[in-house]
């Protein structure tokens, strides 16, 4: 091959054969070349060939610019000329951006005549297309910057654009695959989804750029234990965060269990870049972020140091990213000029709609097969150690004063919420009808052991079809069902348990309690009336402790007395009270009893004047059918003698009067004695 002459970074000229990059065994060597004398060199040569003369000897290259600073970066002979390269400034940066006609690509902010320390900052490098406005005032018109990538594998970040906010840590791997391909098959399996990502952001609790030991503070500086080196000074710039490990003892912020405490540490901003060998760093002022007093002239104390966020035994300052209090992976801000939101003669923008993030899926070039795309939308995972999170940590926070905090726009039959056994379907364009007879509103599920799925439902059914079209045709249900799968429409299925139903059987405005979802026994009508159908059993007191008693509470209660019905045995019902007091039976109508489920009845009929008549008539008001009163039967020896009221009467089955057995006897309290109706002594 043709040998050529190059000048290397040592500014020496070498003649080399560019195809002779082989080792002693004839194998190519990457990163080295062999000259015509057989000597091997690192390929740190400039790309400048001088060729051969007519005798095939190397032609010496013309002398080049010998600026050593420039030579360390660029090896071009043409500096600051058309089709050439830019010169370097004192920091080794190019003085002109890469250019193409009137547009260029570069870090124009550094070339502005005055740096806006509060807009882009001292450490920013704006990278993008721009063109000068032509006003020679250091202003530029931004141009679009388009990035087109092809993420080809995981170990080279696996993403089109990678942003790593990790501070001075440069060995953090982008978390796309978390596998080293050199492992082989294990790495292939470990990668899992073979993912590629358009934009990957890696955020960590980055370390501080510098952590320096301090000896004390002034109102506008920190005094350092050792002088700053040139390498340290190069890392310090104005406006950097600087945080101490000195709390303000005058502040006692309240703490909440499970949440981060307020960070009570003096902090500030660097005000100037120090010089090499300096033993102090200047700051604008000191105070505690967020909870300080805003008083001027504060000086951090060094007697009591932080034990909450760090546990260093000497006064210490943290500079740079790790001195901050939080890290955001992505934080979007939108600044809207209010003057352009009101129509006027000075409007400069017509933009009124702001969408912070919109994610759309468009399928192009035909119809995709059903279920061929797994659309994940937005996924958030708070991590693998939930106990480490504070109690006020959150996945989604919707703040601000806005009419709609969460808006769904799903299609009919969609699940709007389907997670953690909570189901909320989309009711969009859904209507109950003879064809769609039921519709789920919401469902809450709970597994009972591993045997059954308890599903609690709120749903509507089309159960009043003959009612006028509209709400009266629907019955609302609220109650559980056992097993079955959640459905967005149709009968919820499962084994329905007792539920509450509204508007059942055209009971508009009313409510029913129903067993197994259809055996309805308790009805409250819209006008407040209550009816009970089926067998009703009371097994405990409604209002006080007791058994087998139904007590009725008076509308006005001043003596704590409840009266009611009680069942002393399987065949009796009695009047009773909760404190053993006398109770009375009053009625404005007939009192009836029916034996054996027959239609015949015996009754007591009041006449309105305190008199009662016995009857077996079915006519509520008549006594023509006659009737009788039967008293309990006693013998002479078993007649009771205690707790009897004067005038009480009983039937004595073996007592005789006029030679006939069976006498009605009466109790005389004054002499504690039973007699016949003529006050005669009773005998057998």
């Amino acid at each position: 091959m043709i040998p050529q002459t190059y000048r290397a970074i040592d500014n020496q000229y070498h003649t080399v054969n560019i195809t002779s990059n082989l080792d002693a065994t004839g194998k190519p060597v990457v990163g080295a070349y062999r000259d015509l004398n057989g000597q091997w060199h690192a390929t740190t040569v400039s790309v400048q060939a001088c060729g051969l003369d007519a005798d095939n000897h190397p032609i010496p290259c013309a002398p080049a610019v010998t600026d050593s600073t420039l030579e360390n970066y660029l090896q071009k002979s043409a500096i600051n000329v058309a089709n050439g390269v830019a010169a370097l400034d004192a920091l080794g940066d190019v003085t002109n951006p890469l250019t193409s006609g009137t547009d260029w690509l570069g870090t124009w902010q550094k070339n502005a005549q005055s740096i806006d320390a509060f807009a882009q900052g001292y450490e920013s490098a704006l990278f993008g297309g721009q063109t000068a406005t032509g006003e020679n005032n250091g202003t530029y018109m931004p141009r679009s910057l388009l990035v087109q990538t092809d993420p080809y594998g995981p170990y080279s970040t696996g993403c089109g654009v990678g942003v790593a906010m990790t501070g001075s840590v440069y060995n953090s791997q982008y978390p796309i695959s978390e596998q080293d391909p050199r492992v082989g098959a294990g790495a292939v399996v470990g990668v899992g989804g073979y993912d590629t990502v358009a934009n990957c952001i890696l955020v960590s609790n980055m370390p501080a750029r510098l952590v320096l030991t301090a000896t004390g503070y002034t109102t506008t500086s920190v005094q350092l234990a050792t002088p700053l080196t040139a390498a340290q000074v190069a890392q310090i710039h104005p406006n950097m965060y600087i945080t101490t490990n000195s709390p303000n003892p005058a502040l006692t912020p309240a703490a909440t269990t499970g949440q981060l405490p307020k960070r009570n540490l003096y902090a500030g901003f660097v005000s100037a870049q120090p010089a090499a060998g300096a033993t102090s760093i200047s700051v604008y002022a000191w105070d505690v972020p967020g909870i300080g007093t805003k008083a001027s002239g504060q000086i951090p104390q060094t007697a009591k140091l932080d034990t909450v966020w760090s546990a260093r035994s000497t006064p210490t300052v943290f500079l740079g990213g790790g001195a901050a209090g939080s890290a955001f992976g992505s934080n979007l801000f939108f600044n809207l000029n209010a003057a352009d939101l009101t129509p006027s003669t000075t409007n400069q923008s017509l933009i009124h709609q702001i969408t912070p993030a919109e994610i759309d899926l468009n399928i192009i070039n035909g119809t995709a097969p059903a279920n061929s795309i797994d659309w994940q939308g937005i996924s958030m995972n708070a991590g693998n150690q939930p106990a480490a999170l504070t109690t006020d940590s959150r996945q989604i926070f919707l703040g601000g004063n806005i009419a709609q905090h969460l808006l769904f726009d799903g299609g009919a039959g969609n699940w709007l919420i389907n997670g953690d056994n909570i189901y909320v379907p989309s009711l969009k364009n859904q209507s109950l009808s003879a064809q769609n007879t039921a519709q789920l509103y919401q469902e809450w599920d709970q597994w009972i052991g591993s045997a059954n799925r308890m599903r609690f439902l709120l749903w509507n059914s089309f159960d009043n079809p003959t009612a006028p079209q509209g709400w009266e045709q629907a019955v609302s249900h609220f109650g559980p069902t056992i097993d079955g799968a959640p459905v967005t429409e149709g009968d919820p299925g499962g084994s329905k348990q007792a539920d509450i139903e509204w508007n059942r059987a055209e009971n508009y405005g009313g409510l029913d309690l129903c067993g197994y979802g259809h055996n309805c026994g308790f009805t409250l009508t819209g006008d407040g009336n209550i009816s009970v159908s089926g067998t009703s059993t009371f097994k405990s007191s409604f209002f006080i402790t007791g058994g087998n008693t139904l007590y009725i509470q008076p509308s006005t209660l001043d003596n704590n007395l409840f009266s009611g019905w009680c069942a002393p045995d399987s065949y009796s019902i009695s009047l009773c009270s909760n404190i053993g007091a006398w109770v009375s039976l009053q009625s404005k109508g007939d009192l009836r009893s029916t034996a054996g489920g027959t239609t015949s009845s015996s009754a007591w009929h009041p006449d309105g004047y305190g008199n009662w008549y016995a009857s077996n008539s079915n006519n509520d008001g008549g006594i023509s059918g006659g009737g009788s009163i039967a008293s309990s039967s006693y013998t002479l020896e078993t007649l009771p003698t205690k707790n009897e009221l004067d005038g009480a009467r009983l039937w004595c089955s073996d007592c005789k009067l006029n030679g006939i057995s069976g006498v009605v006897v009466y109790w005389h309290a004054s002499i504690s004695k039973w007699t016949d109706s003529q006050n005669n002594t009773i005998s057998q």
Side-chain angles (χ1 to χ4, degrees), residues 391-535:
T391 56
D392 57 345
S393 297
R394 55 184 176 254
Q395 295 280 50
I396 296 177
F397 173 74
L398 303 176
N401 190 345
I402 188 171
Q404 301 172 104
H405 281 268
L406 185 62
L407 180 64
F408 292 103
D409 189 17
N414 294 165
W415 286 116
L416 296 183
I417 296 178
N418 180 349
D420 284 345
N421 289 319
I422 298 177
Y423 302 87
V424 179
S426 170
L427 303 180
K428 193 171 187 177
N429 300 322
Q430 295 291 85
S431 178
L432 286 182
S433 64
Q435 291 73 38
N436 181 24
T437 58
Q439 176 69 58
L440 179 72
Y441 271 177
Q442 191 162 344
E443 178 174 330
W444 305 262
D445 288 5
Q446 174 69 64
W447 279 96
I448 309 301
S450 58
N452 297 103
R453 186 177 191 170
M454 178 75 75
R455 302 165 53 208
F456 208 79
L457 310 169
L458 176 60
W459 58 291
N460 278 348
S461 61
F462 189 73
D463 284 348
N464 298 324
T466 60
Q469 185 176 15
W471 68 271
E472 295 176 338
Q473 294 179 305
V475 175
S476 297
H477 303 255
F478 188 56
T481 187
I482 308 300
D483 295 332
V487 295
T488 59
E489 61 184 23
D491 190 286
S495 176
K496 295 183 180 63
Q497 305 301 295
D499 68 0
I500 303 174
E501 301 185 13
W502 287 265
N503 295 344
R504 173 188 170 271
E506 302 184 0
N507 179 23
Y508 304 124
L511 177 147
D512 286 79
L513 297 180
C514 307
Y516 290 118
H518 58 82
N519 299 325
C520 304
F522 182 94
T523 298
L524 170 67
T525 63
D527 54 12
N529 294 323
I530 295 175
S531 63
V532 179
S533 59
T535 301

Side-chain angles (χ1 to χ4, degrees), residues 170-196:
Y170 300 107
N171 58 354
S172 297
Q173 180 180 338
Y174 282 86
I176 302 304
S177 69
E178 299 182 354
Q179 297 292 326
D180 183 348
R182 294 170 294 187
V183 173
V188 175
V189 176
V191 168
Y194 253 51
D195 300 326
T196 56

Side-chain angles (χ1 to χ4, degrees), residues 135-287:
E135 299 173 0
N136 296 322
N137 60 356
T139 60
Y140 303 86
M141 181 176 66
R143 310 280 281 189
S144 296
L145 174 64
L146 305 180
V147 178
Q148 189 168 357
T149 72
D150 179 10
Y152 60 84
Y155 209 60
S156 59
T157 76
C159 54
V161 176
V163 178
M165 194 169 72
T166 55
S168 58
V169 177
Y170 300 107
N171 58 354
S172 297
Q173 180 180 338
Y174 282 86
I176 302 304
S177 69
E178 299 182 354
Q179 297 292 326
D180 183 348
R182 294 170 294 187
V183 173
V188 175
V189 176
V191 168
Y194 253 51
D195 300 326
T196 56
V197 178
N199 184 23
C200 177
I201 300 177
L202 173 62
V203 178
S204 71
N205 55 336
M206 68 193 75
R209 178 175 294 183
L210 293 174
V211 179
L212 305 174
T213 301
T215 60
Y217 302 92
T218 70
T219 57
T220 58
S221 71
V222 53
Q223 306 302 311
L224 303 176
T226 58
L228 293 169
T229 67
Q232 290 174 324
V233 167
Q235 299 182 67
I236 302 175
H237 294 90
N239 298 348
M240 286 180 66
Y241 293 133
I242 181 170
T243 301
T244 75
N245 66 336
S246 297
N248 183 345
L251 299 178
T252 55
T256 302
T257 302
Q259 299 180 13
L260 290 178
K262 299 293 184 181
R263 197 173 74 169
N264 180 16
L265 297 177
Y266 275 108
F269 306 105
V270 174
S271 60
Q273 185 179 38
T279 57
S280 67
I281 300 175
S282 299
V283 300
Y284 292 104
W286 298 107
D287 207 340

Side-chain angles (χ1 to χ4, degrees), residues 109-128:
Q109 183 267 338
K110 287 187 176 181
N111 299 320
Q113 294 179 356
S114 88
I115 295 176
D116 187 345
F118 305 101
Q120 283 86 36
Y122 286 86
E123 295 193 333
S124 65
L126 303 185
F127 184 76

Side-chain angles (χ1 to χ4, degrees), residues 271-338:
S271 60
Q273 185 179 38
T279 57
S280 67
I281 300 175
S282 299
V283 300
Y284 292 104
W286 298 107
D287 207 340
V288 178
I291 59 174
T293 63
K294 300 182 181 179
S296 60
Q298 298 183 64
I299 301 177
Q301 54 81 32
T302 58
K304 183 178 181 181
L305 301 178
D306 172 45
T307 58
V308 177
W309 306 95
S310 66
R312 295 175 178 266
S313 59
T314 58
T316 305
V317 289
F318 302 81
L319 287 95
S326 61
F328 294 84
S330 180
N331 194 358
L332 304 179
F333 279 90
F334 292 83
N335 292 329
L336 303 185
N337 189 341

Side-chain angles (χ1 to χ4, degrees), residues 16-66:
V16 300
N17 188 331
I18 62 174
T19 62
S20 299
N21 294 339
L22 305 175
D23 61 15
T25 63
K27 295 181 180 179
V29 176
V30 178
Y33 68 90
R34 188 169 56 195
D35 62 22
L36 297 182
N37 297 321
Q39 300 298 315
W40 292 93
H41 305 272
T43 53
T44 51
V45 297
S46 63
V47 186
Q48 180 181 356
C50 298
L52 301 175
D53 59 16
D55 297 324
N56 205 32
H57 294 122
I59 299 175
C61 292
V65 177
T66 59

